[in-house]
Amino acid sequence: MAKRGGVGAELVKEAALSKRSFSRVTAFVVALENYRKPSNGDALPSVDFAHADGDGFADAIRRIYADLPEDALSVHVLKDAQASLAALRDELKYTIQNLAQDELFIFYYAGHGFHGAGGNRLSTYDTNRTNIEDTSLPMRDDLLEPLMESACRQALVFVDACAEKFSGVVKSRDVISNLDAAEVREFLDSGWYLGVFLSCSPGEKSYPSTTLKHGVWTYFLLEAIEGRAPDALTRDRWLTDFGLRDHLRQETPRYITREMQVRGSQTPQAILSGTNSFQIRYVPRAPAVPADEALAGITLRNNSEFLEGTETGEIRTLSGFKRGYHKVPTEASESAEAWCQRLLTEQVAQELQELYEASRKALNARRKDVRKAEDSGGGDLDTAAFRYSVETGQNPDDPSEYIIRRRLEFRQGWDNHRAAIEEIFDTEFDYLVVEFERIDDTFDGLVEKLEDIQESQGGDVHDDDRSKRATYERDGITFTFDLKKRRLEISFGRSGTLELVDAAQKFQLGTSRASPMLAPPRPQPAPAPARRKVQRR
């Protein structure tokens, strides 16, 4: 059966590849993040994440066309000083002149662009704002017309740049005025395929995102061409120019509106020749994923992991509370927070002392091997096997209550001390928490992935875009992603210390950093070897 399935998969792949209208691919990538400072004025504003955009696009092209023979795929990348006006003209001219009829040419640009001084222009490393016409690259003269005159009959152009005046420059990819789509349309009836994708419409800015670490438009462009946007695909799993156009039009402004605090809008444009769709790439269906690996596709850059338990109760029940003298707070405040901490100081100190003595005994440790530190209403305990900490204060959800937060983090090699840990801790913990500095999904993208898991594995998905919390539940197990607090809370319907950790280690998560409390990160595939630049004379 396995053999027949393998043959079937190969036949599907061969059928998909046979639908391509090209057998060679050449990509030309320009990423201008920094500009040269001229002797008579200021340099153009820097372009945030242009390098990440260019590298991401080049890597994606190498991956999605990796099935081509080595001499049939060529990717050129020029950044900053490599992309001077003279260098760009020479490299682009030579590349286009040597394109073959069966070749797909792909041009990607991240930087400043504008319309003026004779047409659409792209800035170069040495573009001078006082002499734009002579120091920038005209798209008509150096890209569109040479392509039309070349042997190549199909091309895709992606431009992540935009159009505003120099005055009041903000964090966007703008310089002077609007990129003009009309100029591009002149080439659409010339007997060859041309698809031009622009990151925004006239008068708009093309925004970068510090969360995505990319230009917003380029992020969703990469999402689509890498096959991570199922809605952009046809039923037979092809990414076409029409599907890509619709995906960019929908997701880019949606992200700007929901995730960014900017007043402007960003509406991508696509100028496509002909009425028939152009097939950019085939995206094979992902193999079925075991239930315990279903969440591995949600990539987290984790930085800490720990067990967490919370205890709440009425402030009036604390031993230091004097009835008739103290008043129960009705609002949250810094003074009430500090008061709760003072009331709980002795209780926490006693708890830490008991754990200190239990740890020395169970671990057979000397005094110098166990560190105890106390603070007002808090403290921590450190050993070679674990770190335990306590924080207290006023319950933010109910001002009349106190809260005690307890955390337990295991260190490398903790498994050698299982019996001791079970002896020390009878505290009930609520969650295993994974704190992360970044998640490689927007909130909408995260919910869509969880919904995909729900369809394939069962369970329930709940989301709240107000709090940016999304939860997946199945068989008494709950995974809650909190994008505002940047944490993943995992609960298993049990509270034993080692029960939680053992249960969590059965699940493959999309973590990037190894942790003694989680299953090892899934090995990443080795990067594809760099392809040599093909010289064709």
Side-chain angles (χ1 to χ4, degrees), residues 357-365 419-421 423-424:
E357 293 174 357
S359 298
R360 286 195 60 188
K361 179 181 177 181
L363 294 168
N364 194 25
I421 291 172
E423 182 179 340
I424 296 166

Side-chain angles (χ1 to χ4, degrees), residues 94 340 366 479:
Y94 173 76
C340 287
R366 299 171 66 93
F479 298 86

Side-chain angles (χ1 to χ4, degrees), residues 12 17 39 57 128 181 184-185 214 247 268 396 400 427 445 477 480 528 536:
V12 170
L17 297 183
S39 58
F57 187 85
N128 189 321
V184 178
R185 291 193 178 96
H214 280 289
H247 178 71
S400 68
T427 305
I477 306 167
T480 299
R536 298 196 291 275

Side-chain angles (χ1 to χ4, degrees), residues 347-392:
Q347 177 180 329
V348 169
Q350 182 61 32
E351 176 182 323
L352 288 172
Q353 179 61 28
E354 292 173 359
L355 285 173
Y356 168 78
E357 293 174 357
S359 298
R360 286 195 60 188
K361 179 181 177 181
L363 294 168
N364 194 25
R366 299 171 66 93
R367 174 181 171 82
K368 66 179 180 180
D369 298 324
V370 181
R371 187 187 69 84
K372 176 171 66 99
E374 298 174 8
D375 198 357
S376 177
D380 52 69
L381 189 71
D382 277 288
T383 74
F386 62 82
R387 183 175 193 273
Y388 178 81
S389 62
V390 184
E391 294 179 352
T392 62

